[in-house]
Amino acid sequence: MSATTTTPIDLSSGFPSPSLFPLQQLNHATNTVLSTPSIWHEGMIYGPDEGHSPLRRNIARWLSRFYHLDETTSTPGASKIEAERICITGGASQNLACILQVFTDPVYTRNVFIIEPAYFLAFRAFEDAGFVGRLTGVPEDEEGVDVEFLEESLKKDELSSSPDIKPFKPERPYRKLYRHIIYCVPTFSNPSGRIMSLSRREALVHLARKYDALIIADDVYDFVHFPTDASSMDSPSPQFKHILPRLVDIDKTLDGGPIDSFGNCMSNGSFSKIVGPGCRVGWAEGTPAFAYGLSQAGSTHSGGAPSHMMSTFINEMLEPSGDDTCAVTRHIVTKLIPTYARRYSLLATAVQEYLTPLGVISPIENKYHVVGGFFLWLRLPPSLTSTEVVAAAREDGVVIGNGAVSALPEGNLRCGTYGDMIRLCFAWVDEEQLVEGVKVLAGTIRRLGKEA
Ligand SMILES: Cc1ncc(COP(=O)(O)O)c(C=O)c1O
């Protein structure tokens, strides 16, 4: 580490820096709750399985607005989101585990398909649910998931498996066990930042219906996006508006709607990236039957939805005020979008200036000309591996993400190793450190390149 730097510059951690937490708004929300007995009485005791009712209603209204389902919409037939479609969760990770507990069976559910490169912290939830060695990677290109590859895998599985496998778990009226799981991050994927195109989304929903699969979509990065050229941003009021309909919106409307009461898609949402990860509050959206079934997970049914008191605080931040926006929306529009746009622009420019000349390849611009999520996904020059660059950069004072962790764990059907990829995050460190971090990394790559 350089003599002047004592704390390494962290371009690895994937969450907002403390300067981006909406503390004043949270303070106001907690004061309101704690000085209103009718709210805190409810918040401090066990709550409903589906979660704090006012929060379910406010999330439904807020999502309707963001995905414009209450106005003219690109999804024909889409309508307002009803509160019955929402179940409050302890965040996307906790909820992934609950979904697998309720809707999969270690015997009957044949495969877990994961779009690669993947959000690596999800792997253990699949292993915990009994799918060790049964994960299959599905590659993505500029338009997202390779649906042909996925269909081939599903067809092969049909041919090799017996049609009358009995589930290990008993039948329950509140749930359905799916034959396959498809896990993806359709918008601003972690780590690749890619956006799955509308045609791929539709094709994916068709496939899920045909092969009895549940698509679990982590829609955690949808809310913050900005043009690739930040100077063309409609500042000072960027729009609070989606880019594409979610998979769950498509399942709601495609060919007349879901093929059964549970549907084939769910949206896994979270306040981690837009309020703060320590809140551990999120939401799941699916058909009303799916949302109810999810709320019947054993750990939820005993005591009610997680993070109940915190749910009351978040709910205050979602209460519409005079201009029909709420504290969370205003925070996204006035703070998060402008800050991330600036940080992204600084990071992308620094990468171009210091890393591209060394042979590092940065992502191609997507056809939507928007960026979001928290990451830049970069390919190293052919002579270097991500593992050696990550270790050497750490010694030089900068922490970066190793692409190799985004491959499925060994023993599963992976489609790549990503041992030549690194992930840089622009959410955690403040602006000056972003450029400094890239300069340090350039020095590391230059040094290793000479040694190679
Ligand atoms: C794709 C994806 N899903 C889920 C999470 C975690 O969400 P939560 O904090 O709500 O558990 C992250 C955080 O990095 C993520 O990138």
Side-chain angles (χ1 to χ4, degrees):
M1 201 180 298
S2 76
T4 49
T5 327
T6 44
T7 315
I9 297 174
D10 184 353
L11 299 182
S12 172
S13 293
F15 39 90
S17 51
S19 64
L20 293 178
F21 295 142
L23 291 187
Q24 265 185 337
Q25 297 90 319
L26 197 53
N27 196 16
H28 182 73
T30 50
N31 278 332
T32 306
V33 169
L34 295 175
S35 57
T36 314
S38 59
I39 309 179
W40 68 253
H41 275 183
E42 208 186 303
M44 287 294 282
I45 57 172
Y46 294 126
D49 295 351
E50 300 96 320
H52 188 51
S53 307
L55 180 59
R56 294 175 72 206
R57 283 196 294 275
N58 267 332
I59 288 177
R61 185 193 49 77
W62 181 71
L63 292 176
S64 298
R65 179 157 184 172
F66 181 74
Y67 292 102
H68 281 248
L69 301 179
D70 52 354
E71 291 174 23
T72 340
T73 162
S74 54
T75 316
S79 57
K80 241 169 125 156
I81 297 165
E82 311 81 24
E84 301 72 57
R85 292 178 57 84
I86 306 292
C87 177
I88 304 304
T89 70
S93 317
Q94 179 269 356
N95 188 47
L96 174 60
C98 283
I99 295 168
L100 299 175
Q101 280 164 19
V102 176
F103 296 103
T104 68
D105 180 272
V107 178
Y108 182 79
T109 306
R110 305 265 313 152
N111 296 286
V112 173
F113 294 100
I114 299 184
I115 318 300
E116 271 193 53
Y119 170 52
F120 68 102
L121 289 172
F123 300 149
R124 195 175 295 176
F126 295 109
E127 293 186 349
D128 287 350
F131 297 104
V132 177
R134 281 197 287 150
L135 311 182
T136 299
V138 182
E140 62 175 8
D141 59 21
E142 283 72 31
E143 288 212 39
V145 55
D146 182 340
V147 273
E148 280 173 29
F149 178 100
L150 178 57
E151 178 144 38
E152 278 312 306
S153 307
L154 285 160
K155 272 189 196 152
K156 257 191 236 154
D157 180 80
E158 290 245 307
L159 292 175
S160 66
S161 70
S162 153
D164 41 38
I165 297 170
K166 296 276 174 288
F168 174 74
K169 294 181 179 175
E171 228 174 89
R172 293 281 184 255
Y174 57 81
R175 70 154 170 242
K176 161 186 174 168
L177 297 171
Y178 290 84
R179 213 151 160 73
H180 306 279
I181 292 292
I182 301 169
Y183 170 74
C184 56
V185 187
T187 304
F188 308 128
S189 185
N190 177 1
S192 72
R194 289 209 172 107
I195 304 172
M196 191 189 293
S197 70
L198 184 57
S199 57
R200 296 280 174 91
R201 290 177 193 227
E202 288 173 349
L204 192 60
V205 174
H206 278 302
L207 270 193
R209 289 179 179 179
K210 183 169 170 191
Y211 291 94
D212 188 23
L214 171 66
I215 303 174
I216 301 174
D218 273 4
D219 293 324
V220 301
Y221 295 110
D222 286 28
F223 301 90
V224 177
H225 57 80
F226 36 88
T228 31
D229 173 12
S231 60
S232 73
M233 212 164 80
D234 49 352
S235 166
S237 306
Q239 279 195 318
F240 184 66
K241 186 177 185 306
H242 72 293
I243 297 169
L244 287 172
R246 294 166 300 174
L247 289 152
V248 80
D249 300 321
I250 294 170
D251 195 33
K252 195 177 177 191
T253 55
L254 191 71
D255 299 336
I259 56 172
D260 65 25
S261 64
F262 289 95
N264 290 85
C265 301
M266 70 77 53
S267 172
N268 208 9
S270 175
F271 290 101
S272 286
K273 312 293 176 183
I274 47 182
V275 177
C279 297
R280 308 319 289 147
V281 178
W283 67 92
E285 186 187 333
T287 65
F290 184 93
Y292 176 73
L294 181 61
S295 79
Q296 297 308 292
S299 59
T300 307
H301 184 54
S302 166
S307 311
H308 193 210
M309 187 63 176
M310 193 69 206
S311 292
T312 65
F313 302 154
I314 298 278
N315 182 54
E316 286 306 314
M317 294 173 69
L318 282 178
E319 279 292 345
S321 56
D323 58 356
D324 198 31
T325 63
C326 61
V328 174
T329 304
R330 284 192 295 276
H331 179 62
I332 290 172
V333 167
T334 62
K335 183 82 178 180
L336 297 185
I337 296 179
T339 306
Y340 287 138
R342 250 189 341 264
R343 288 186 187 176
Y344 168 80
S345 170
L346 274 175
L347 182 62
T349 308
V351 165
Q352 241 164 15
E353 191 173 339
Y354 301 108
L355 299 184
T356 308
L358 304 178
V360 173
I361 300 174
S362 47
I364 319 152
E365 225 179 72
N366 64 57
K367 67 177 187 174
Y368 303 96
H369 303 292
V370 284
V371 196
F374 287 180
F375 310 108
L376 270 190
W377 181 236
L378 303 174
R379 188 178 304 282
L380 292 166
S383 56
L384 300 178
T385 68
S386 54
T387 300
E388 64 180 329
V389 172
V390 168
R394 182 80 173 74
E395 281 171 19
D396 292 345
V398 62
V399 185
I400 59 170
N402 187 344
V405 302
S406 303
L408 299 188
E410 262 180 65
N412 295 284
L413 280 174
R414 315 159 139 189
C415 37
T417 58
Y418 314 104
D420 57 347
M421 303 298 292
I422 54 170
R423 192 192 77 171
L424 303 186
C425 174
F426 53 89
W428 174 247
V429 294
D430 288 327
E431 288 161 28
E432 328 77 69
Q433 286 207 312
L434 275 176
V435 179
E436 184 53 27
V438 174
K439 284 188 192 168
V440 174
L441 178 59
T444 307
I445 292 177
R446 223 178 288 116
R447 172 164 63 81
L448 291 176
K450 280 194 197 131
E451 287 166 14

